[in-house]
Amino acid sequence: ILNIGTASDRVSIAENVAINLQQGGKININNGSVILNNAVTRDTLGGADIWQGDINTSAGGSLILDSFSHDTTTGSYTQNGGSLVLQGNSNLAMSDAASSITGGTVDIQTGNTLSVSNGSSIGGNTTTNAAGELNIGNNGSITGGTTNVSGTMNVNNGGTVSGGTTNVTGTMNVGEGGSVTNGTTNVSGNMTVADGGTISGGTTNVNNGGQLNVSGNINGSANTIIASGGTVNVNGGTIDTTGKTDIQNGSTLN
């Protein structure tokens, strides 16, 4: 177990040192940062980093994936504070129930991908900034917190987003088997609810310049859709207006 603790008890890992975290090993990042990189250039100086044990990040700590790909079935990730950063075309697949993020921040930079599935989750008061790609599927979930999507977010195949606030300035796709329940979704970009995708509960705001495309199902019995200057397109889908649905002046409903 490697504990990176208080400011006076830090571990400095040099730029060209490979980190080999084997199965059963653990890194606790309570302060400072750990950067993992498996770029080819590292091979000339001791080999690429290997992650097979468990990593936990707490307040004050940060895990940075730089040109690094990992599937948590060979080493879990938990975070209750601090930050996770994906940069340099990195790809992290949180794909087991032992992996969860319940606080701090997640930054998915452009060209990078975070996938959440198989019981793993993002929740609590986490702020997730997705300039790259965020995939929620196969029993993965976002439960609460704030998710800012300037890139692309895909929710499908048993993936769920429930509670919290989702701000879409890029693209959000709710595909077959995906669901959005409760919480607040603010759409200033482009949101599609495809055939087999559902929205139920909560509030969906289609703001000026935003677009909501519906070929799936929006259950209005508990859902408020407010289009204030935005566009709502219904093509082969259903919007149930049993509850409150406002298409305000200056908006377009096709």
Side-chain angles (χ1 to χ4, degrees), residues 2 34 51 69 73 120 148 162 180 219 242:
L2 172 61
V34 170
W51 175 3
S69 295
T73 56
S120 59
N148 301 311
S162 61
V180 177
N219 180 358
T242 304

Side-chain angles (χ1 to χ4, degrees), residues 2 34 40 63-64 71 104 115 125 137 165 235 244:
L2 172 61
V34 170
V40 175
L63 174 64
I64 301 170
D71 186 325
S115 299
N125 61 351
T165 301
N235 184 7
K244 179 182 179 183

Side-chain angles (χ1 to χ4, degrees), residues 6-104:
T6 64
S8 60
D9 182 25
R10 295 194 181 193
V11 175
S12 177
I13 300 174
E15 179 180 359
N16 293 316
V17 174
I19 301 173
N20 297 315
L21 180 61
Q22 304 295 339
Q23 187 174 2
K26 187 169 185 176
I27 296 178
N28 296 317
I29 309 170
N30 302 313
N31 218 312
S33 63
V34 170
I35 301 175
L36 297 182
N37 184 305
N38 60 1
V40 175
T41 54
R42 294 290 294 277
D43 291 340
T44 60
L45 294 166
D49 297 333
I50 298 173
W51 175 3
Q52 292 181 323
D54 300 332
I55 296 179
N56 172 260
T57 303
S58 301
S62 62
L63 174 64
I64 301 170
L65 304 186
D66 184 5
S67 302
F68 190 89
S69 295
H70 178 67
D71 186 325
T72 61
T73 56
T74 59
S76 68
Y77 180 70
T78 54
Q79 175 178 312
N80 51 30
S83 65
L84 169 67
V85 179
L86 276 67
Q87 63 187 37
N89 297 312
S90 292
N91 188 326
L92 176 61
M94 290 175 53
S95 54
D96 67 301
S99 295
S100 65
I101 297 173
T102 58

Side-chain angles (χ1 to χ4, degrees), residues 57-199:
T57 303
S58 301
S62 62
L63 174 64
I64 301 170
L65 304 186
D66 184 5
S67 302
F68 190 89
S69 295
H70 178 67
D71 186 325
T72 61
T73 56
T74 59
S76 68
Y77 180 70
T78 54
Q79 175 178 312
N80 51 30
S83 65
L84 169 67
V85 179
L86 276 67
Q87 63 187 37
N89 297 312
S90 292
N91 188 326
L92 176 61
M94 290 175 53
S95 54
D96 67 301
S99 295
S100 65
I101 297 173
T102 58
T105 61
V106 177
D107 289 312
I108 310 164
Q109 298 183 7
T110 302
N112 299 268
T113 302
L114 173 63
S115 299
V116 181
S117 64
N118 295 329
S120 59
S121 63
I122 300 175
N125 61 351
T126 305
T127 297
T128 302
N129 301 308
E133 183 173 324
L134 174 60
N135 300 312
I136 311 296
N138 192 23
N139 200 33
S141 63
I142 293 180
T143 57
T146 300
T147 305
N148 301 311
V149 182
S150 58
T152 301
M153 179 176 175
N154 301 305
V155 185
N156 51 39
N157 191 30
T160 60
V161 176
S162 61
T165 301
T166 304
N167 300 310
V168 182
T169 57
T171 300
M172 181 173 179
N173 300 308
V174 183
E176 182 175 1
S179 64
V180 177
T181 62
N182 303 318
T184 300
T185 304
N186 300 309
V187 183
S188 299
N190 192 303
M191 181 175 181
T192 297
V193 183
D195 187 16
T198 61
I199 296 180

